[in-house]
Amino acid sequence: MSMTVKNMLDAKGREVVVVAPEQSLLEVAGILHEKRIGAVVIAGDEGRTAGIFTERDLVRAVAEKGAAVLDAPVSTIMTVNVQTCREDTTVNQLMQMMSVGRFRHVPVEEAGRLIGIISIGDVVKSRIREIELEAEQIKAYIAS
């Protein structure tokens, strides 16, 4: 049985840090730092995902445009073509999506509404749990 996004969200929680599109990059950088997270979702209409903003986006923006970009609204820098997944997405599907897309955070949506977010760290923890469970099952089988 393969682990799903629902299993991961049930274990870690469904809290997502969401910011408004008009918040400045400096404000959002402060939120990333304060919450010790690598990404925030940008709020859209009716609970939908309008974009995502990550530490990588911040570094790229400052490197390309200088420190003055910190006063710009996050909506001018955020990634708008956000890859999302659903609760029934498997860990293997998620790893494939993250590897091909070269990103580390995936918002989870159901019926077009944001219900969680999964990071690469969540995926790694999930795979470790799966491997440990398999090892325990093998040991129990051998011992019986």
Short mmCIF file of all heavy atoms in Angstrom, two decimals, residues 5-6 8-19 31-32 34-41 49 52 87 105-109 113-119 122:
data_model
loop_
_atom_site.label_atom_id
_atom_site.label_comp_id
_atom_site.label_asym_id
_atom_site.label_seq_id
_atom_site.Cartn_x
_atom_site.Cartn_y
_atom_site.Cartn_z
N VAL A 5 -0.93 11.56 -0.12
CA VAL A 5 -0.87 12.92 0.41
C VAL A 5 -1.80 13.04 1.62
O VAL A 5 -1.46 13.68 2.61
CB VAL A 5 -1.22 13.95 -0.68
CG1 VAL A 5 -1.48 15.32 -0.10
CG2 VAL A 5 -0.10 14.01 -1.72
N LYS A 6 -2.96 12.40 1.57
CA LYS A 6 -3.89 12.44 2.71
C LYS A 6 -3.22 11.91 3.97
O LYS A 6 -3.33 12.51 5.04
CB LYS A 6 -5.16 11.65 2.42
CG LYS A 6 -6.16 11.69 3.57
CD LYS A 6 -7.38 10.86 3.29
CE LYS A 6 -8.44 10.90 4.37
NZ LYS A 6 -8.05 11.10 5.72
N MET A 8 -0.06 11.89 4.66
CA MET A 8 0.95 12.86 5.11
C MET A 8 0.29 14.04 5.80
O MET A 8 0.77 14.50 6.85
CB MET A 8 1.80 13.33 3.92
CG MET A 8 2.79 12.29 3.46
SD MET A 8 3.95 12.95 2.24
CE MET A 8 2.96 12.89 0.77
N LEU A 9 -0.80 14.55 5.23
CA LEU A 9 -1.49 15.69 5.85
C LEU A 9 -2.10 15.31 7.19
O LEU A 9 -2.08 16.12 8.13
CB LEU A 9 -2.57 16.24 4.91
CG LEU A 9 -2.09 16.96 3.67
CD1 LEU A 9 -3.29 17.37 2.80
CD2 LEU A 9 -1.24 18.17 4.00
N ASP A 10 -2.64 14.09 7.28
CA ASP A 10 -3.20 13.64 8.56
C ASP A 10 -2.12 13.59 9.64
O ASP A 10 -2.38 13.88 10.80
CB ASP A 10 -3.85 12.25 8.40
CG ASP A 10 -5.16 12.30 7.61
OD1 ASP A 10 -5.69 13.41 7.39
OD2 ASP A 10 -5.61 11.22 7.20
N ALA A 11 -0.89 13.23 9.24
CA ALA A 11 0.21 13.12 10.20
C ALA A 11 0.79 14.48 10.57
O ALA A 11 1.10 14.73 11.72
CB ALA A 11 1.31 12.22 9.63
N LYS A 12 0.94 15.37 9.59
CA LYS A 12 1.65 16.63 9.85
C LYS A 12 0.74 17.81 10.13
O LYS A 12 1.16 18.82 10.66
CB LYS A 12 2.59 16.96 8.70
CG LYS A 12 1.90 17.54 7.48
CD LYS A 12 2.89 18.19 6.55
CE LYS A 12 2.32 19.45 6.01
NZ LYS A 12 3.19 20.44 5.56
N GLY A 13 -0.50 17.73 9.69
CA GLY A 13 -1.42 18.85 9.84
C GLY A 13 -1.69 19.52 8.52
O GLY A 13 -0.97 19.30 7.54
N ARG A 14 -2.69 20.34 8.50
CA ARG A 14 -3.15 20.95 7.24
C ARG A 14 -2.96 22.46 7.20
O ARG A 14 -3.45 23.12 6.31
CB ARG A 14 -4.61 20.59 7.01
CG ARG A 14 -4.80 19.11 6.80
CD ARG A 14 -6.26 18.69 6.79
NE ARG A 14 -6.36 17.26 6.64
CZ ARG A 14 -6.38 16.63 5.47
NH1 ARG A 14 -6.33 17.31 4.35
NH2 ARG A 14 -6.47 15.32 5.42
N GLU A 15 -2.24 22.99 8.17
CA GLU A 15 -2.03 24.44 8.20
C GLU A 15 -1.19 24.88 7.01
O GLU A 15 -0.17 24.27 6.69
CB GLU A 15 -1.34 24.85 9.48
CG GLU A 15 -1.12 26.35 9.56
CD GLU A 15 -0.36 26.79 10.80
OE1 GLU A 15 -0.15 25.97 11.71
OE2 GLU A 15 0.02 27.96 10.83
N VAL A 16 -1.63 25.93 6.36
CA VAL A 16 -0.89 26.53 5.26
C VAL A 16 -0.77 28.02 5.55
O VAL A 16 -1.76 28.67 5.88
CB VAL A 16 -1.62 26.36 3.90
CG1 VAL A 16 -0.80 26.95 2.76
CG2 VAL A 16 -1.95 24.90 3.63
N VAL A 17 0.43 28.55 5.43
CA VAL A 17 0.62 29.98 5.60
C VAL A 17 0.28 30.65 4.27
O VAL A 17 0.89 30.35 3.24
CB VAL A 17 2.06 30.32 6.04
CG1 VAL A 17 2.26 31.81 6.15
CG2 VAL A 17 2.37 29.63 7.37
N VAL A 18 -0.71 31.51 4.32
CA VAL A 18 -1.22 32.18 3.13
C VAL A 18 -1.01 33.68 3.30
O VAL A 18 -1.25 34.22 4.38
CB VAL A 18 -2.73 31.87 2.92
CG1 VAL A 18 -3.28 32.60 1.71
CG2 VAL A 18 -2.94 30.36 2.78
N VAL A 19 -0.55 34.33 2.24
CA VAL A 19 -0.35 35.78 2.28
C VAL A 19 -1.15 36.43 1.17
O VAL A 19 -1.54 35.79 0.19
CB VAL A 19 1.15 36.16 2.16
CG1 VAL A 19 1.96 35.57 3.30
CG2 VAL A 19 1.73 35.75 0.83
N ILE A 31 7.85 36.69 7.23
CA ILE A 31 6.95 35.58 7.57
C ILE A 31 7.67 34.24 7.39
O ILE A 31 7.57 33.36 8.24
CB ILE A 31 5.66 35.64 6.72
CG1 ILE A 31 4.83 36.87 7.13
CG2 ILE A 31 4.85 34.35 6.84
CD1 ILE A 31 3.70 37.22 6.19
N LEU A 32 8.39 34.09 6.27
CA LEU A 32 9.15 32.85 6.03
C LEU A 32 10.12 32.60 7.18
O LEU A 32 10.23 31.49 7.69
CB LEU A 32 9.91 32.92 4.70
CG LEU A 32 9.08 32.91 3.43
CD1 LEU A 32 9.97 33.19 2.21
CD2 LEU A 32 8.34 31.59 3.25
N GLU A 34 10.08 33.97 10.32
CA GLU A 34 9.38 33.80 11.61
C GLU A 34 8.77 32.40 11.75
O GLU A 34 8.86 31.78 12.80
CB GLU A 34 8.28 34.86 11.72
CG GLU A 34 7.40 34.72 12.94
CD GLU A 34 6.19 35.66 12.88
OE1 GLU A 34 6.34 36.80 12.40
OE2 GLU A 34 5.11 35.22 13.32
N LYS A 35 8.16 31.92 10.68
CA LYS A 35 7.48 30.62 10.72
C LYS A 35 8.44 29.46 10.44
O LYS A 35 8.03 28.30 10.55
CB LYS A 35 6.35 30.58 9.68
CG LYS A 35 5.29 31.65 9.87
CD LYS A 35 4.32 31.24 10.93
CE LYS A 35 3.16 32.23 10.97
NZ LYS A 35 2.23 31.91 12.03
N ARG A 36 9.67 29.78 10.03
CA ARG A 36 10.68 28.76 9.71
C ARG A 36 10.18 27.82 8.62
O ARG A 36 10.21 26.59 8.75
CB ARG A 36 11.08 28.00 10.96
CG ARG A 36 11.70 28.91 12.02
CD ARG A 36 12.06 28.16 13.28
NE ARG A 36 12.83 26.96 13.00
CZ ARG A 36 14.13 26.81 13.24
NH1 ARG A 36 14.80 27.78 13.80
NH2 ARG A 36 14.74 25.69 12.95
N ILE A 37 9.68 28.44 7.53
CA ILE A 37 9.16 27.68 6.40
C ILE A 37 9.84 28.14 5.11
O ILE A 37 10.48 29.20 5.09
CB ILE A 37 7.63 27.82 6.27
CG1 ILE A 37 7.22 29.30 6.17
CG2 ILE A 37 6.93 27.13 7.44
CD1 ILE A 37 5.73 29.53 5.95
N GLY A 38 9.69 27.38 4.06
CA GLY A 38 10.35 27.70 2.80
C GLY A 38 9.43 28.24 1.73
O GLY A 38 9.90 28.63 0.66
N ALA A 39 8.13 28.29 2.00
CA ALA A 39 7.19 28.75 0.98
C ALA A 39 5.90 29.23 1.62
O ALA A 39 5.51 28.75 2.70
CB ALA A 39 6.88 27.63 -0.01
N VAL A 40 5.25 30.16 0.94
CA VAL A 40 3.91 30.61 1.31
C VAL A 40 3.04 30.54 0.06
O VAL A 40 3.53 30.65 -1.05
CB VAL A 40 3.88 32.05 1.88
CG1 VAL A 40 4.61 32.13 3.20
CG2 VAL A 40 4.44 33.06 0.88
N VAL A 41 1.77 30.34 0.29
CA VAL A 41 0.81 30.36 -0.81
C VAL A 41 0.20 31.75 -0.88
O VAL A 41 -0.08 32.36 0.15
CB VAL A 41 -0.28 29.27 -0.61
CG1 VAL A 41 -1.37 29.38 -1.65
CG2 VAL A 41 0.37 27.88 -0.64
N THR A 49 -5.66 28.91 -4.97
CA THR A 49 -4.25 29.28 -4.99
C THR A 49 -3.98 30.21 -6.17
O THR A 49 -4.18 29.81 -7.32
CB THR A 49 -3.38 28.01 -5.13
OG1 THR A 49 -3.66 27.14 -4.03
CG2 THR A 49 -1.91 28.35 -5.16
N ILE A 52 2.52 30.89 -5.61
CA ILE A 52 3.36 30.40 -4.52
C ILE A 52 4.64 31.21 -4.55
O ILE A 52 5.11 31.65 -5.61
CB ILE A 52 3.63 28.88 -4.64
CG1 ILE A 52 4.26 28.33 -3.35
CG2 ILE A 52 4.46 28.55 -5.87
CD1 ILE A 52 4.23 26.81 -3.26
N GLU A 87 -5.44 14.91 -2.41
CA GLU A 87 -5.22 13.99 -1.29
C GLU A 87 -4.94 12.56 -1.74
O GLU A 87 -4.25 11.81 -1.06
CB GLU A 87 -6.42 13.98 -0.35
CG GLU A 87 -6.49 15.18 0.56
CD GLU A 87 -7.56 15.02 1.62
OE1 GLU A 87 -8.70 14.64 1.29
OE2 GLU A 87 -7.23 15.27 2.79
N HIS A 105 7.85 22.40 -2.98
CA HIS A 105 6.59 22.62 -2.25
C HIS A 105 5.42 22.45 -3.21
O HIS A 105 5.44 23.01 -4.31
CB HIS A 105 6.55 24.03 -1.66
CG HIS A 105 7.65 24.28 -0.70
ND1 HIS A 105 8.89 24.74 -1.10
CD2 HIS A 105 7.72 24.12 0.64
CE1 HIS A 105 9.67 24.85 -0.03
NE2 HIS A 105 8.99 24.48 1.03
N VAL A 106 4.41 21.70 -2.77
CA VAL A 106 3.23 21.47 -3.61
C VAL A 106 1.97 21.72 -2.78
O VAL A 106 1.71 20.99 -1.81
CB VAL A 106 3.20 20.02 -4.15
CG1 VAL A 106 1.98 19.80 -5.03
CG2 VAL A 106 4.47 19.70 -4.92
N PRO A 107 1.20 22.74 -3.15
CA PRO A 107 -0.09 22.94 -2.48
C PRO A 107 -1.03 21.78 -2.79
O PRO A 107 -0.99 21.20 -3.88
CB PRO A 107 -0.62 24.24 -3.10
CG PRO A 107 0.60 24.92 -3.65
CD PRO A 107 1.50 23.82 -4.10
N VAL A 108 -1.87 21.46 -1.82
CA VAL A 108 -2.85 20.39 -1.98
C VAL A 108 -4.22 21.05 -2.10
O VAL A 108 -4.60 21.86 -1.26
CB VAL A 108 -2.83 19.42 -0.77
CG1 VAL A 108 -3.82 18.28 -0.99
CG2 VAL A 108 -1.42 18.91 -0.51
N GLU A 109 -4.95 20.69 -3.15
CA GLU A 109 -6.27 21.25 -3.37
C GLU A 109 -7.28 20.13 -3.56
O GLU A 109 -6.95 19.07 -4.09
CB GLU A 109 -6.29 22.15 -4.61
CG GLU A 109 -5.50 23.43 -4.44
CD GLU A 109 -5.63 24.36 -5.65
OE1 GLU A 109 -6.07 23.91 -6.72
OE2 GLU A 109 -5.28 25.54 -5.50
N ARG A 113 -10.11 24.12 -3.86
CA ARG A 113 -9.82 24.84 -2.60
C ARG A 113 -8.55 24.31 -1.97
O ARG A 113 -8.31 23.11 -1.93
CB ARG A 113 -10.98 24.70 -1.62
CG ARG A 113 -12.26 25.35 -2.15
CD ARG A 113 -13.36 25.44 -1.11
NE ARG A 113 -12.96 26.09 0.12
CZ ARG A 113 -12.88 27.41 0.30
NH1 ARG A 113 -13.14 28.23 -0.68
NH2 ARG A 113 -12.54 27.89 1.47
N LEU A 114 -7.74 25.22 -1.45
CA LEU A 114 -6.49 24.90 -0.79
C LEU A 114 -6.78 24.20 0.54
O LEU A 114 -7.51 24.72 1.37
CB LEU A 114 -5.70 26.18 -0.54
CG LEU A 114 -4.35 26.05 0.13
CD1 LEU A 114 -3.37 25.29 -0.76
CD2 LEU A 114 -3.81 27.44 0.45
N ILE A 115 -6.19 22.99 0.74
CA ILE A 115 -6.44 22.25 1.98
C ILE A 115 -5.15 21.83 2.67
O ILE A 115 -5.20 21.19 3.72
CB ILE A 115 -7.33 21.02 1.74
CG1 ILE A 115 -6.66 20.03 0.79
CG2 ILE A 115 -8.71 21.42 1.26
CD1 ILE A 115 -7.31 18.66 0.78
N GLY A 116 -4.00 22.16 2.11
CA GLY A 116 -2.74 21.79 2.74
C GLY A 116 -1.57 22.08 1.81
O GLY A 116 -1.76 22.58 0.70
N ILE A 117 -0.38 21.77 2.28
CA ILE A 117 0.82 21.91 1.47
C ILE A 117 1.79 20.81 1.88
O ILE A 117 1.87 20.44 3.06
CB ILE A 117 1.46 23.31 1.61
CG1 ILE A 117 2.54 23.53 0.56
CG2 ILE A 117 1.96 23.56 3.02
CD1 ILE A 117 2.96 24.99 0.40
N ILE A 118 2.50 20.27 0.91
CA ILE A 118 3.47 19.22 1.15
C ILE A 118 4.84 19.73 0.70
O ILE A 118 4.97 20.28 -0.39
CB ILE A 118 3.12 17.93 0.37
CG1 ILE A 118 1.78 17.37 0.83
CG2 ILE A 118 4.24 16.89 0.50
CD1 ILE A 118 1.75 16.81 2.23
N SER A 119 5.84 19.54 1.55
CA SER A 119 7.22 19.92 1.20
C SER A 119 8.03 18.67 0.92
O SER A 119 7.61 17.55 1.26
CB SER A 119 7.87 20.71 2.35
OG SER A 119 8.16 19.83 3.42
N ASP A 122 8.50 16.66 3.96
CA ASP A 122 7.38 15.80 4.30
C ASP A 122 7.45 14.49 3.52
O ASP A 122 7.16 13.42 4.06
CB ASP A 122 6.04 16.49 4.00
CG ASP A 122 5.84 17.77 4.76
OD1 ASP A 122 6.30 17.86 5.92
OD2 ASP A 122 5.22 18.70 4.20
#
